[in-house]
Amino acid sequence: MELEMNPIEKLKICLDKAEKLSMENWNAMTLATATKEGFPSARIVLYKDLIDEKIIFYTNYHSRKGLEILENPNVAMVFYWEELGTQIRIRGIAKKTSRELSEKYFKLRPIGSQISAIVSKQSQEFTNIVEVKEEIKSFQKEGKEVECPNYWGGYEVSINEIEFWSLGENRFHDRSLYQRDELDWKEIYLYP
């Protein structure tokens, strides 16, 4: 059966539509990771780009999500835009982006976000917020260029499954699942 549309093109159209509507946090996506034993955890991260059919996001590699991806690179992501009546579910394999891409994006971030990336030991416990805030202030006072730390950077997720869900009348929603095989995509229609 011939595909109605390439799912990556369909994803680009949905992302563009969400961005053009100027919805707050249009690029927020739920990212689910799991330990090597299969215990899941999920959180919201920000989608940043779609390059060569790979979804890009950035984080601290020592965060819980980073450590779980190191153990188990299988991830799931969900975009949900109530205003569009659209949900997109994605499964794929995550790996670090090139260092060059991470550093390039890091330089585009506001200086405050750059400093936070350096100071934060993301997902780790701390006992004194005052000390953390003082460390941030000392970075701000120095006023020098902040370098991208080696423990911070991007992940690219190679998509191997993507489902488009559209709100339907009487809860009869439209669901199309695309699965990648070795050569191409296969489209499957799902009951709501």
Side-chain angles (χ1 to χ4, degrees):
M1 174 170 46
E2 193 171 314
L3 293 181
E4 174 190 328
M5 179 186 290
N6 177 293
I8 302 301
E9 290 305 314
K10 198 171 178 177
L11 174 60
K12 286 178 186 175
I13 289 168
C14 290
L15 289 164
D16 287 345
K17 191 184 288 187
E19 184 177 17
K20 285 179 181 149
L21 281 179
S22 299
M23 294 184 292
E24 191 172 351
N25 298 317
W26 69 270
N27 62 335
M29 64 180 183
T30 301
L31 170 72
T33 57
T35 62
K36 63 184 172 191
E37 296 83 17
F39 293 106
S41 60
R43 78 287 290 151
I44 303 294
V45 298
L46 297 180
Y47 155 84
K48 290 298 177 183
D49 211 344
L50 183 61
I51 302 173
D52 297 328
E53 300 193 356
K54 295 177 179 85
I55 291 183
I56 310 294
F57 68 93
Y58 295 88
T59 192
N60 183 316
Y61 293 140
H62 297 160
S63 65
R64 182 174 180 174
K65 69 182 112 27
L67 296 175
E68 288 180 355
I69 289 170
L70 185 63
E71 286 184 355
N72 179 355
N74 297 299
V75 300
M77 295 169 286
V78 178
F79 289 99
Y80 176 65
W81 302 297
E82 184 174 5
E83 298 89 337
L84 296 175
T86 302
Q87 174 179 256
I88 301 172
R89 297 174 54 211
I90 298 167
R91 291 196 322 174
I93 309 290
K95 72 173 196 172
K96 290 179 182 178
T97 63
S98 70
R99 194 72 210 141
E100 178 186 22
L101 187 63
S102 293
E103 289 173 359
K104 182 179 175 183
Y105 175 72
F106 188 82
K107 288 179 182 174
L108 297 174
R109 299 180 80 196
I111 188 69
S113 296
Q114 292 177 3
I115 292 169
S116 291
I118 289 175
V119 171
S120 175
K121 296 169 180 63
Q122 194 176 33
S123 302
Q124 295 180 32
E125 183 179 343
F126 71 90
T127 55
N128 191 332
I129 188 67
V130 174
E131 285 178 9
V132 175
K133 288 183 177 181
E134 288 301 318
E135 190 175 356
I136 290 170
K137 282 182 187 174
S138 72
F139 265 101
Q140 290 169 332
K141 284 179 188 173
E142 289 176 22
K144 62 183 181 184
E145 188 175 334
V146 180
E147 296 294 322
C148 180
N150 63 2
Y151 52 82
W152 189 95
Y155 282 101
E156 56 184 49
V157 178
S158 299
I159 302 169
N160 55 33
E161 185 176 284
I162 183 167
E163 179 190 328
F164 295 90
W165 174 98
S166 296
L167 184 64
E169 195 173 317
N170 298 317
R171 301 197 58 79
F172 200 84
H173 312 302
D174 181 35
R175 293 176 66 193
S176 299
L177 176 66
Y178 296 83
Q179 295 175 322
R180 189 190 294 273
D181 63 23
E182 293 164 15
L183 301 174
D184 208 352
W185 291 95
K186 179 174 86 171
E187 184 176 17
I188 303 165
Y189 297 104
L190 303 174
Y191 278 100

